[in-house]
Amino acid sequence: MKYTSLAVAAAMALAAPAFAQTDLKIGYALATDSHYGVGAAAFADVIAAGTGDEFNIEQFPSSALGGEREVIESLQLGTVEVTIVSSGTLANFVPDTGVFDIPFLFRDLNHARTVLDGPIGQEILAEFDDEGLHALAWGEQGFRHITNNRNPIETPADVAGLKIRTMENPVHLEAFQAMGAAPTPMAWPEVITSLQQGVIDGQENPLSVIVSVKLNEVQKYLTLSGHVYSPAMILVSGPFWDSLDDETKAVFEEAGKAAVAAMRAYVDNVETTGVETLKERGMIVNELSPEQKAEFQAAIKAAYETYYQTYDQSLIDSIIATK
Ligand code: PAF
């Protein structure tokens, strides 16, 4: 018996890496089969390969570590190392990020990707280093659309008084207030129960979320409003980032790029297949025509006045002018 234990111990010692492997937590709000899940998996693969398995990325999907704001705060404290988040609460940490939440700002996915990967997006990423965070890259969710249980939405009058959950994001909140809806900012982990209990009538999110969360189980109508682009971000804990050497930091930057590529590929796919999937699952779907979209844009005129007071007009103009 004694000899067997020794042999097992010797075999284990030979198989074990020559160093202690460090587990790092990555937390995110959605399931492993979502755009966040595929991004996190791609991230983990590059980290394992690039660091010779020095770091092992442990996945904490489905808000297992809390809501997005809580997880970002945990990154600042250094108790969680990595997260993929929406822009929901980012402006609380770096106010400039809110400019990308302005409705009808981006023409299409390519426009958004060009701005975020270009100087405007990269300068805003760099601001996170002063907030106990390191922003690796802009990820993506897609354009947000409205789902609800009350009625189909074709004109701004159809959202009057609609109890719609928004992210805890003042730019989104102002837009829905200006439309005459009754918006309720709420952290994501409360949303499904609130929809089931009828506390809210609807919510808004991109197809990537609506499909992967199966929102059709709690929502009847989907309006393809595309009212705002929804960026995501891959963030690393500042204290953890500061502890890394330059070589390892370069691996993390590569992993961030791999995560973005995986997320964008997921979004590209769900943008072409998602509506059919949701119709098959029983949702009643309508798409706003360009004229109907223009009516919504006109309805939020008052919100635009606030946006132009909050964000530099020249910044907004250069985003719009980016080709
Ligand atoms: O609506 C939100 O809060 C976000 O889009 C979500 C679903 C948590 C993904 O980051």
Side-chain angles (χ1 to χ4, degrees):
M1 191 65 191
K2 194 174 161 198
Y3 291 112
T4 314
S5 309
L6 277 175
V8 169
M12 280 172 67
L14 281 176
F19 51 81
Q21 195 180 47
T22 306
D23 288 331
L24 305 178
K25 298 188 198 72
I26 184 166
Y28 47 94
L30 302 166
T32 47
D33 63 357
S34 68
H35 50 305
Y36 286 2
V38 298
F43 186 86
D45 287 348
V46 174
I47 295 294
T51 66
D53 285 325
E54 183 184 345
F55 292 113
N56 169 49
I57 304 282
E58 279 186 288
Q59 307 277 336
F60 290 86
S62 307
S63 306
L65 300 177
E68 292 189 334
R69 182 201 285 255
E70 273 171 278
V71 176
I72 298 173
E73 285 166 356
S74 302
L75 258 65
Q76 288 178 313
L77 293 172
T79 53
V80 175
E81 288 81 13
V82 190
T83 188
I84 301 178
V85 285
S86 69
S87 62
T89 65
L90 285 181
N92 293 302
F93 299 90
V94 170
D96 284 347
T97 57
V99 72
F100 300 131
D101 294 310
I102 295 179
F104 303 107
L105 178 73
F106 292 111
R107 293 182 296 278
D108 51 33
L109 290 177
N110 277 341
H111 180 204
R113 291 172 185 178
T114 307
V115 171
L116 295 174
D117 294 347
I120 299 174
Q122 299 305 300
E123 271 166 33
I124 293 181
L125 286 186
E127 291 181 38
F128 282 81
D129 287 314
D130 295 332
E131 305 304 328
L133 298 160
H134 180 73
L136 286 177
W138 289 101
E140 178 170 271
Q141 303 214 77
F143 279 86
R144 297 178 85 89
H145 305 293
I146 302 171
T147 66
N148 86 100
N149 282 331
R150 201 184 69 175
N151 52 270
I153 293 166
E154 287 174 358
T155 69
D158 297 326
V159 297
L162 187 78
K163 286 182 272 165
I164 185 163
R165 175 267 176 176
T166 66
M167 297 198 290
E168 298 164 290
N169 180 314
V171 176
H172 288 198
L173 182 62
E174 271 151 28
F176 281 95
Q177 273 164 346
M179 276 179 220
T184 307
M186 191 183 278
W188 177 252
E190 296 161 44
V191 173
I192 304 298
T193 316
S194 302
L195 287 169
Q196 277 164 339
Q197 293 174 348
V199 176
I200 44 174
D201 302 312
Q203 65 85 52
E204 45 85 58
N205 251 302
L207 288 171
S208 55
V209 176
I210 301 169
V211 171
S212 66
V213 175
K214 298 194 175 67
L215 275 172
N216 49 283
E217 290 174 0
V218 286
Q219 294 277 263
K220 187 167 173 190
Y221 302 104
L222 163 63
T223 301
L224 298 168
S225 49
H227 52 279
V228 67
Y229 175 74
S230 197
M233 189 176 278
I234 301 147
L235 278 171
V236 178
S237 156
F240 171 69
W241 183 253
D242 293 341
S243 74
L244 298 176
D245 59 33
D246 286 348
E247 207 183 320
T248 313
K249 282 181 178 170
V251 176
F252 273 73
E253 299 285 356
E254 273 316 301
K257 288 191 187 122
V260 173
M263 289 170 85
R264 287 181 179 173
Y266 185 106
V267 170
D268 283 338
N269 180 46
V270 81
E271 291 286 321
T272 52
T273 59
V275 172
E276 222 29 65
T277 306
L278 293 166
K279 280 185 185 164
E280 280 163 19
R281 291 183 193 166
M283 282 193 106
I284 300 168
V285 184
N286 72 297
E287 179 167 13
L288 295 186
S289 66
E291 295 73 27
Q292 287 171 325
K293 274 195 187 186
E295 279 185 53
F296 279 87
Q297 223 172 337
I300 60 170
K301 202 165 162 272
Y304 282 111
E305 279 157 26
T306 316
Y307 303 150
Y308 282 113
Q309 279 160 20
T310 314
Y311 302 103
D312 202 21
Q313 171 100 39
S314 62
L315 174 64
I316 298 176
D317 289 345
S318 39
I319 294 172
I320 293 169
T322 302
K323 295 279 172 257

PDB file of all heavy atoms in Angstrom, residues 12-48:
ATOM      1  N   MET A  12       2.288  11.840 -10.031  1.00  0.00           N
ATOM      2  CA  MET A  12       1.613  13.140  -9.986  1.00  0.00           C
ATOM      3  C   MET A  12       2.633  14.273 -10.077  1.00  0.00           C
ATOM      4  O   MET A  12       2.423  15.277 -10.750  1.00  0.00           O
ATOM      5  CB  MET A  12       0.782  13.288  -8.710  1.00  0.00           C
ATOM      6  CG  MET A  12      -0.555  12.571  -8.817  1.00  0.00           C
ATOM      7  SD  MET A  12      -1.437  12.543  -7.275  1.00  0.00           S
ATOM      8  CE  MET A  12      -1.811  14.251  -7.039  1.00  0.00           C
ATOM      9  N   ALA A  13       3.766  14.077  -9.377  1.00  0.00           N
ATOM     10  CA  ALA A  13       4.798  15.119  -9.396  1.00  0.00           C
ATOM     11  C   ALA A  13       5.333  15.317 -10.807  1.00  0.00           C
ATOM     12  O   ALA A  13       5.572  16.430 -11.253  1.00  0.00           O
ATOM     13  CB  ALA A  13       5.932  14.744  -8.449  1.00  0.00           C
ATOM     14  N   LEU A  14       5.490  14.171 -11.554  1.00  0.00           N
ATOM     15  CA  LEU A  14       6.001  14.283 -12.924  1.00  0.00           C
ATOM     16  C   LEU A  14       5.001  14.995 -13.829  1.00  0.00           C
ATOM     17  O   LEU A  14       5.366  15.788 -14.693  1.00  0.00           O
ATOM     18  CB  LEU A  14       6.272  12.879 -13.495  1.00  0.00           C
ATOM     19  CG  LEU A  14       7.573  12.245 -13.019  1.00  0.00           C
ATOM     20  CD1 LEU A  14       7.674  10.828 -13.573  1.00  0.00           C
ATOM     21  CD2 LEU A  14       8.771  13.076 -13.517  1.00  0.00           C
ATOM     22  N   ALA A  15       3.680  14.694 -13.601  1.00  0.00           N
ATOM     23  CA  ALA A  15       2.642  15.262 -14.459  1.00  0.00           C
ATOM     24  C   ALA A  15       2.392  16.730 -14.145  1.00  0.00           C
ATOM     25  O   ALA A  15       1.967  17.499 -14.998  1.00  0.00           O
ATOM     26  CB  ALA A  15       1.334  14.484 -14.279  1.00  0.00           C
ATOM     27  N   ALA A  16       2.647  17.163 -12.913  1.00  0.00           N
ATOM     28  CA  ALA A  16       2.302  18.529 -12.495  1.00  0.00           C
ATOM     29  C   ALA A  16       3.229  19.546 -13.144  1.00  0.00           C
ATOM     30  O   ALA A  16       4.382  19.257 -13.421  1.00  0.00           O
ATOM     31  CB  ALA A  16       2.432  18.631 -10.969  1.00  0.00           C
ATOM     32  N   PRO A  17       2.714  20.755 -13.445  1.00  0.00           N
ATOM     33  CA  PRO A  17       3.605  21.781 -13.980  1.00  0.00           C
ATOM     34  C   PRO A  17       4.661  22.150 -12.948  1.00  0.00           C
ATOM     35  O   PRO A  17       4.462  21.943 -11.745  1.00  0.00           O
ATOM     36  CB  PRO A  17       2.671  22.957 -14.260  1.00  0.00           C
ATOM     37  CG  PRO A  17       1.350  22.640 -13.662  1.00  0.00           C
ATOM     38  CD  PRO A  17       1.343  21.210 -13.266  1.00  0.00           C
ATOM     39  N   ALA A  18       5.783  22.703 -13.430  1.00  0.00           N
ATOM     40  CA  ALA A  18       6.903  23.011 -12.535  1.00  0.00           C
ATOM     41  C   ALA A  18       6.596  24.209 -11.643  1.00  0.00           C
ATOM     42  O   ALA A  18       7.391  24.560 -10.793  1.00  0.00           O
ATOM     43  CB  ALA A  18       8.133  23.287 -13.378  1.00  0.00           C
ATOM     44  N   PHE A  19       5.450  24.868 -11.860  1.00  0.00           N
ATOM     45  CA  PHE A  19       5.085  26.053 -11.071  1.00  0.00           C
ATOM     46  C   PHE A  19       3.664  25.880 -10.578  1.00  0.00           C
ATOM     47  O   PHE A  19       2.915  25.052 -11.078  1.00  0.00           O
ATOM     48  CB  PHE A  19       5.181  27.307 -11.930  1.00  0.00           C
ATOM     49  CG  PHE A  19       4.421  27.158 -13.224  1.00  0.00           C
ATOM     50  CD1 PHE A  19       3.045  27.345 -13.266  1.00  0.00           C
ATOM     51  CD2 PHE A  19       5.073  26.781 -14.386  1.00  0.00           C
ATOM     52  CE1 PHE A  19       2.345  27.182 -14.443  1.00  0.00           C
ATOM     53  CE2 PHE A  19       4.363  26.608 -15.572  1.00  0.00           C
ATOM     54  CZ  PHE A  19       3.001  26.805 -15.594  1.00  0.00           C
ATOM     55  N   ALA A  20       3.303  26.697  -9.591  1.00  0.00           N
ATOM     56  CA  ALA A  20       1.924  26.645  -9.098  1.00  0.00           C
ATOM     57  C   ALA A  20       1.042  27.398 -10.086  1.00  0.00           C
ATOM     58  O   ALA A  20       1.359  28.519 -10.462  1.00  0.00           O
ATOM     59  CB  ALA A  20       1.858  27.301  -7.734  1.00  0.00           C
ATOM     60  N   GLN A  21      -0.020  26.731 -10.543  1.00  0.00           N
ATOM     61  CA  GLN A  21      -0.923  27.390 -11.479  1.00  0.00           C
ATOM     62  C   GLN A  21      -1.832  28.348 -10.715  1.00  0.00           C
ATOM     63  O   GLN A  21      -2.293  28.025  -9.632  1.00  0.00           O
ATOM     64  CB  GLN A  21      -1.763  26.332 -12.190  1.00  0.00           C
ATOM     65  CG  GLN A  21      -2.459  26.851 -13.412  1.00  0.00           C
ATOM     66  CD  GLN A  21      -3.271  25.778 -14.090  1.00  0.00           C
ATOM     67  OE1 GLN A  21      -4.013  25.054 -13.432  1.00  0.00           O
ATOM     68  NE2 GLN A  21      -3.135  25.666 -15.395  1.00  0.00           N
ATOM     69  N   THR A  22      -2.063  29.537 -11.274  1.00  0.00           N
ATOM     70  CA  THR A  22      -2.917  30.522 -10.601  1.00  0.00           C
ATOM     71  C   THR A  22      -4.292  30.559 -11.267  1.00  0.00           C
ATOM     72  O   THR A  22      -4.382  30.712 -12.483  1.00  0.00           O
ATOM     73  CB  THR A  22      -2.281  31.926 -10.688  1.00  0.00           C
ATOM     74  OG1 THR A  22      -0.958  31.837 -10.172  1.00  0.00           O
ATOM     75  CG2 THR A  22      -3.079  32.952  -9.903  1.00  0.00           C
ATOM     76  N   ASP A  23      -5.349  30.414 -10.456  1.00  0.00           N
ATOM     77  CA  ASP A  23      -6.714  30.506 -10.985  1.00  0.00           C
ATOM     78  C   ASP A  23      -7.149  31.964 -11.001  1.00  0.00           C
ATOM     79  O   ASP A  23      -6.968  32.685 -10.014  1.00  0.00           O
ATOM     80  CB  ASP A  23      -7.688  29.718 -10.092  1.00  0.00           C
ATOM     81  CG  ASP A  23      -7.497  28.215 -10.253  1.00  0.00           C
ATOM     82  OD1 ASP A  23      -7.076  27.792 -11.346  1.00  0.00           O
ATOM     83  OD2 ASP A  23      -7.761  27.489  -9.283  1.00  0.00           O
ATOM     84  N   LEU A  24      -7.721  32.394 -12.125  1.00  0.00           N
ATOM     85  CA  LEU A  24      -8.248  33.756 -12.242  1.00  0.00           C
ATOM     86  C   LEU A  24      -9.738  33.671 -12.527  1.00  0.00           C
ATOM     87  O   LEU A  24     -10.169  32.835 -13.324  1.00  0.00           O
ATOM     88  CB  LEU A  24      -7.572  34.501 -13.397  1.00  0.00           C
ATOM     89  CG  LEU A  24      -6.045  34.570 -13.394  1.00  0.00           C
ATOM     90  CD1 LEU A  24      -5.568  35.311 -14.642  1.00  0.00           C
ATOM     91  CD2 LEU A  24      -5.541  35.268 -12.139  1.00  0.00           C
ATOM     92  N   LYS A  25     -10.502  34.543 -11.904  1.00  0.00           N
ATOM     93  CA  LYS A  25     -11.965  34.516 -12.121  1.00  0.00           C
ATOM     94  C   LYS A  25     -12.353  35.468 -13.248  1.00  0.00           C
ATOM     95  O   LYS A  25     -11.938  36.620 -13.260  1.00  0.00           O
ATOM     96  CB  LYS A  25     -12.699  34.995 -10.861  1.00  0.00           C
ATOM     97  CG  LYS A  25     -12.472  34.152  -9.631  1.00  0.00           C
ATOM     98  CD  LYS A  25     -13.422  34.658  -8.531  1.00  0.00           C
ATOM     99  CE  LYS A  25     -12.983  34.207  -7.172  1.00  0.00           C
ATOM    100  NZ  LYS A  25     -11.794  34.881  -6.665  1.00  0.00           N
ATOM    101  N   ILE A  26     -13.194  34.956 -14.176  1.00  0.00           N
ATOM    102  CA  ILE A  26     -13.848  35.847 -15.140  1.00  0.00           C
ATOM    103  C   ILE A  26     -15.351  35.755 -14.894  1.00  0.00           C
ATOM    104  O   ILE A  26     -15.921  34.663 -14.878  1.00  0.00           O
ATOM    105  CB  ILE A  26     -13.478  35.516 -16.617  1.00  0.00           C
ATOM    106  CG1 ILE A  26     -14.111  36.555 -17.557  1.00  0.00           C
ATOM    107  CG2 ILE A  26     -13.899  34.127 -17.047  1.00  0.00           C
ATOM    108  CD1 ILE A  26     -13.552  36.533 -18.980  1.00  0.00           C
ATOM    109  N   GLY A  27     -15.970  36.904 -14.630  1.00  0.00           N
ATOM    110  CA  GLY A  27     -17.410  36.925 -14.343  1.00  0.00           C
ATOM    111  C   GLY A  27     -18.161  37.642 -15.449  1.00  0.00           C
ATOM    112  O   GLY A  27     -17.652  38.620 -16.001  1.00  0.00           O
ATOM    113  N   TYR A  28     -19.355  37.155 -15.782  1.00  0.00           N
ATOM    114  CA  TYR A  28     -20.194  37.846 -16.771  1.00  0.00           C
ATOM    115  C   TYR A  28     -21.654  37.470 -16.560  1.00  0.00           C
ATOM    116  O   TYR A  28     -21.964  36.477 -15.886  1.00  0.00           O
ATOM    117  CB  TYR A  28     -19.733  37.575 -18.215  1.00  0.00           C
ATOM    118  CG  TYR A  28     -19.443  36.129 -18.559  1.00  0.00           C
ATOM    119  CD1 TYR A  28     -20.413  35.322 -19.141  1.00  0.00           C
ATOM    120  CD2 TYR A  28     -18.195  35.563 -18.299  1.00  0.00           C
ATOM    121  CE1 TYR A  28     -20.150  33.997 -19.471  1.00  0.00           C
ATOM    122  CE2 TYR A  28     -17.923  34.239 -18.620  1.00  0.00           C
ATOM    123  CZ  TYR A  28     -18.908  33.465 -19.196  1.00  0.00           C
ATOM    124  OH  TYR A  28     -18.638  32.161 -19.514  1.00  0.00           O
ATOM    125  N   ALA A  29     -22.548  38.285 -17.165  1.00  0.00           N
ATOM    126  CA  ALA A  29     -23.977  38.199 -16.843  1.00  0.00           C
ATOM    127  C   ALA A  29     -24.729  37.094 -17.564  1.00  0.00           C
ATOM    128  O   ALA A  29     -25.833  36.740 -17.161  1.00  0.00           O
ATOM    129  CB  ALA A  29     -24.644  39.542 -17.183  1.00  0.00           C
ATOM    130  N   LEU A  30     -24.158  36.575 -18.654  1.00  0.00           N
ATOM    131  CA  LEU A  30     -24.921  35.663 -19.511  1.00  0.00           C
ATOM    132  C   LEU A  30     -24.369  34.244 -19.441  1.00  0.00           C
ATOM    133  O   LEU A  30     -23.376  33.994 -18.747  1.00  0.00           O
ATOM    134  CB  LEU A  30     -24.914  36.217 -20.943  1.00  0.00           C
ATOM    135  CG  LEU A  30     -25.508  37.639 -21.044  1.00  0.00           C
ATOM    136  CD1 LEU A  30     -25.185  38.281 -22.382  1.00  0.00           C
ATOM    137  CD2 LEU A  30     -27.017  37.627 -20.808  1.00  0.00           C
ATOM    138  N   ALA A  31     -25.017  33.326 -20.190  1.00  0.00           N
ATOM    139  CA  ALA A  31     -24.630  31.905 -20.112  1.00  0.00           C
ATOM    140  C   ALA A  31     -23.377  31.621 -20.947  1.00  0.00           C
ATOM    141  O   ALA A  31     -22.943  32.456 -21.737  1.00  0.00           O
ATOM    142  CB  ALA A  31     -25.794  31.053 -20.632  1.00  0.00           C
ATOM    143  N   THR A  32     -22.832  30.433 -20.794  1.00  0.00           N
ATOM    144  CA  THR A  32     -21.607  30.085 -21.530  1.00  0.00           C
ATOM    145  C   THR A  32     -21.870  29.978 -23.046  1.00  0.00           C
ATOM    146  O   THR A  32     -20.943  30.099 -23.829  1.00  0.00           O
ATOM    147  CB  THR A  32     -21.011  28.752 -21.034  1.00  0.00           C
ATOM    148  OG1 THR A  32     -22.063  27.801 -20.953  1.00  0.00           O
ATOM    149  CG2 THR A  32     -20.342  28.898 -19.687  1.00  0.00           C
ATOM    150  N   ASP A  33     -23.150  29.764 -23.453  1.00  0.00           N
ATOM    151  CA  ASP A  33     -23.420  29.676 -24.899  1.00  0.00           C
ATOM    152  C   ASP A  33     -23.843  31.026 -25.488  1.00  0.00           C
ATOM    153  O   ASP A  33     -24.407  31.082 -26.569  1.00  0.00           O
ATOM    154  CB  ASP A  33     -24.459  28.588 -25.206  1.00  0.00           C
ATOM    155  CG  ASP A  33     -25.813  28.895 -24.587  1.00  0.00           C
ATOM    156  OD1 ASP A  33     -25.942  29.918 -23.882  1.00  0.00           O
ATOM    157  OD2 ASP A  33     -26.760  28.116 -24.824  1.00  0.00           O
ATOM    158  N   SER A  34     -23.565  32.109 -24.764  1.00  0.00           N
ATOM    159  CA  SER A  34     -23.881  33.457 -25.265  1.00  0.00           C
ATOM    160  C   SER A  34     -22.643  34.058 -25.944  1.00  0.00           C
ATOM    161  O   SER A  34     -21.563  33.450 -25.944  1.00  0.00           O
ATOM    162  CB  SER A  34     -24.282  34.350 -24.088  1.00  0.00           C
ATOM    163  OG  SER A  34     -23.132  34.565 -23.274  1.00  0.00           O
ATOM    164  N   HIS A  35     -22.794  35.282 -26.448  1.00  0.00           N
ATOM    165  CA  HIS A  35     -21.634  35.999 -27.026  1.00  0.00           C
ATOM    166  C   HIS A  35     -20.579  36.268 -25.952  1.00  0.00           C
ATOM    167  O   HIS A  35     -19.388  36.290 -26.242  1.00  0.00           O
ATOM    168  CB  HIS A  35     -22.087  37.298 -27.707  1.00  0.00           C
ATOM    169  CG  HIS A  35     -22.984  38.173 -26.876  1.00  0.00           C
ATOM    170  ND1 HIS A  35     -24.155  37.700 -26.324  1.00  0.00           N
ATOM    171  CD2 HIS A  35     -22.879  39.460 -26.467  1.00  0.00           C
ATOM    172  CE1 HIS A  35     -24.726  38.673 -25.635  1.00  0.00           C
ATOM    173  NE2 HIS A  35     -23.980  39.751 -25.693  1.00  0.00           N
ATOM    174  N   TYR A  36     -21.006  36.483 -24.698  1.00  0.00           N
ATOM    175  CA  TYR A  36     -20.025  36.666 -23.616  1.00  0.00           C
ATOM    176  C   TYR A  36     -19.306  35.342 -23.340  1.00  0.00           C
ATOM    177  O   TYR A  36     -18.093  35.310 -23.111  1.00  0.00           O
ATOM    178  CB  TYR A  36     -20.713  37.137 -22.321  1.00  0.00           C
ATOM    179  CG  TYR A  36     -21.171  38.583 -22.328  1.00  0.00           C
ATOM    180  CD1 TYR A  36     -21.017  39.405 -23.427  1.00  0.00           C
ATOM    181  CD2 TYR A  36     -21.773  39.129 -21.193  1.00  0.00           C
ATOM    182  CE1 TYR A  36     -21.439  40.724 -23.424  1.00  0.00           C
ATOM    183  CE2 TYR A  36     -22.192  40.454 -21.161  1.00  0.00           C
ATOM    184  CZ  TYR A  36     -22.028  41.247 -22.282  1.00  0.00           C
ATOM    185  OH  TYR A  36     -22.451  42.554 -22.254  1.00  0.00           O
ATOM    186  N   GLY A  37     -20.078  34.253 -23.352  1.00  0.00           N
ATOM    187  CA  GLY A  37     -19.492  32.929 -23.083  1.00  0.00           C
ATOM    188  C   GLY A  37     -18.442  32.556 -24.118  1.00  0.00           C
ATOM    189  O   GLY A  37     -17.345  32.088 -23.759  1.00  0.00           O
ATOM    190  N   VAL A  38     -18.750  32.791 -25.416  1.00  0.00           N
ATOM    191  CA  VAL A  38     -17.753  32.427 -26.435  1.00  0.00           C
ATOM    192  C   VAL A  38     -16.536  33.344 -26.326  1.00  0.00           C
ATOM    193  O   VAL A  38     -15.396  32.914 -26.540  1.00  0.00           O
ATOM    194  CB  VAL A  38     -18.325  32.407 -27.889  1.00  0.00           C
ATOM    195  CG1 VAL A  38     -19.435  31.382 -28.048  1.00  0.00           C
ATOM    196  CG2 VAL A  38     -18.802  33.779 -28.337  1.00  0.00           C
ATOM    197  N   GLY A  39     -16.774  34.616 -25.960  1.00  0.00           N
ATOM    198  CA  GLY A  39     -15.660  35.551 -25.771  1.00  0.00           C
ATOM    199  C   GLY A  39     -14.776  35.108 -24.617  1.00  0.00           C
ATOM    200  O   GLY A  39     -13.536  35.100 -24.712  1.00  0.00           O
ATOM    201  N   ALA A  40     -15.406  34.698 -23.524  1.00  0.00           N
ATOM    202  CA  ALA A  40     -14.650  34.277 -22.338  1.00  0.00           C
ATOM    203  C   ALA A  40     -13.858  32.996 -22.623  1.00  0.00           C
ATOM    204  O   ALA A  40     -12.722  32.832 -22.156  1.00  0.00           O
ATOM    205  CB  ALA A  40     -15.606  34.068 -21.163  1.00  0.00           C
ATOM    206  N   ALA A  41     -14.450  32.088 -23.416  1.00  0.00           N
ATOM    207  CA  ALA A  41     -13.745  30.831 -23.752  1.00  0.00           C
ATOM    208  C   ALA A  41     -12.522  31.125 -24.613  1.00  0.00           C
ATOM    209  O   ALA A  41     -11.434  30.571 -24.386  1.00  0.00           O
ATOM    210  CB  ALA A  41     -14.704  29.879 -24.474  1.00  0.00           C
ATOM    211  N   ALA A  42     -12.692  32.027 -25.609  1.00  0.00           N
ATOM    212  CA  ALA A  42     -11.552  32.383 -26.478  1.00  0.00           C
ATOM    213  C   ALA A  42     -10.459  33.050 -25.642  1.00  0.00           C
ATOM    214  O   ALA A  42      -9.263  32.784 -25.817  1.00  0.00           O
ATOM    215  CB  ALA A  42     -12.026  33.322 -27.590  1.00  0.00           C
ATOM    216  N   PHE A  43     -10.886  33.890 -24.703  1.00  0.00           N
ATOM    217  CA  PHE A  43      -9.947  34.583 -23.817  1.00  0.00           C
ATOM    218  C   PHE A  43      -9.132  33.555 -23.020  1.00  0.00           C
ATOM    219  O   PHE A  43      -7.904  33.607 -22.963  1.00  0.00           O
ATOM    220  CB  PHE A  43     -10.752  35.490 -22.877  1.00  0.00           C
ATOM    221  CG  PHE A  43      -9.918  36.376 -22.007  1.00  0.00           C
ATOM    222  CD1 PHE A  43      -9.482  37.608 -22.470  1.00  0.00           C
ATOM    223  CD2 PHE A  43      -9.553  35.987 -20.723  1.00  0.00           C
ATOM    224  CE1 PHE A  43      -8.690  38.434 -21.679  1.00  0.00           C
ATOM    225  CE2 PHE A  43      -8.765  36.797 -19.931  1.00  0.00           C
ATOM    226  CZ  PHE A  43      -8.337  38.029 -20.406  1.00  0.00           C
ATOM    227  N   ALA A  44      -9.845  32.593 -22.425  1.00  0.00           N
ATOM    228  CA  ALA A  44      -9.202  31.578 -21.579  1.00  0.00           C
ATOM    229  C   ALA A  44      -8.193  30.753 -22.377  1.00  0.00           C
ATOM    230  O   ALA A  44      -7.093  30.443 -21.878  1.00  0.00           O
ATOM    231  CB  ALA A  44     -10.270  30.663 -20.974  1.00  0.00           C
ATOM    232  N   ASP A  45      -8.549  30.414 -23.623  1.00  0.00           N
ATOM    233  CA  ASP A  45      -7.647  29.597 -24.448  1.00  0.00           C
ATOM    234  C   ASP A  45      -6.330  30.323 -24.704  1.00  0.00           C
ATOM    235  O   ASP A  45      -5.250  29.732 -24.612  1.00  0.00           O
ATOM    236  CB  ASP A  45      -8.303  29.275 -25.805  1.00  0.00           C
ATOM    237  CG  ASP A  45      -9.413  28.250 -25.656  1.00  0.00           C
ATOM    238  OD1 ASP A  45      -9.520  27.634 -24.570  1.00  0.00           O
ATOM    239  OD2 ASP A  45     -10.192  28.079 -26.620  1.00  0.00           O
ATOM    240  N   VAL A  46      -6.425  31.614 -25.058  1.00  0.00           N
ATOM    241  CA  VAL A  46      -5.196  32.360 -25.366  1.00  0.00           C
ATOM    242  C   VAL A  46      -4.344  32.528 -24.109  1.00  0.00           C
ATOM    243  O   VAL A  46      -3.116  32.412 -24.154  1.00  0.00           O
ATOM    244  CB  VAL A  46      -5.527  33.734 -26.008  1.00  0.00           C
ATOM    245  CG1 VAL A  46      -4.275  34.575 -26.190  1.00  0.00           C
ATOM    246  CG2 VAL A  46      -6.229  33.538 -27.345  1.00  0.00           C
ATOM    247  N   ILE A  47      -5.001  32.758 -22.975  1.00  0.00           N
ATOM    248  CA  ILE A  47      -4.242  32.927 -21.728  1.00  0.00           C
ATOM    249  C   ILE A  47      -3.504  31.620 -21.382  1.00  0.00           C
ATOM    250  O   ILE A  47      -2.317  31.636 -21.041  1.00  0.00           O
ATOM    251  CB  ILE A  47      -5.171  33.341 -20.548  1.00  0.00           C
ATOM    252  CG1 ILE A  47      -5.788  34.724 -20.805  1.00  0.00           C
ATOM    253  CG2 ILE A  47      -4.433  33.291 -19.211  1.00  0.00           C
ATOM    254  CD1 ILE A  47      -4.832  35.892 -20.827  1.00  0.00           C
ATOM    255  N   ALA A  48      -4.219  30.494 -21.491  1.00  0.00           N
ATOM    256  CA  ALA A  48      -3.589  29.208 -21.150  1.00  0.00           C
ATOM    257  C   ALA A  48      -2.397  28.945 -22.084  1.00  0.00           C
ATOM    258  O   ALA A  48      -1.285  28.626 -21.625  1.00  0.00           O
ATOM    259  CB  ALA A  48      -4.615  28.086 -21.253  1.00  0.00           C
TER     260      ALA A  48
END
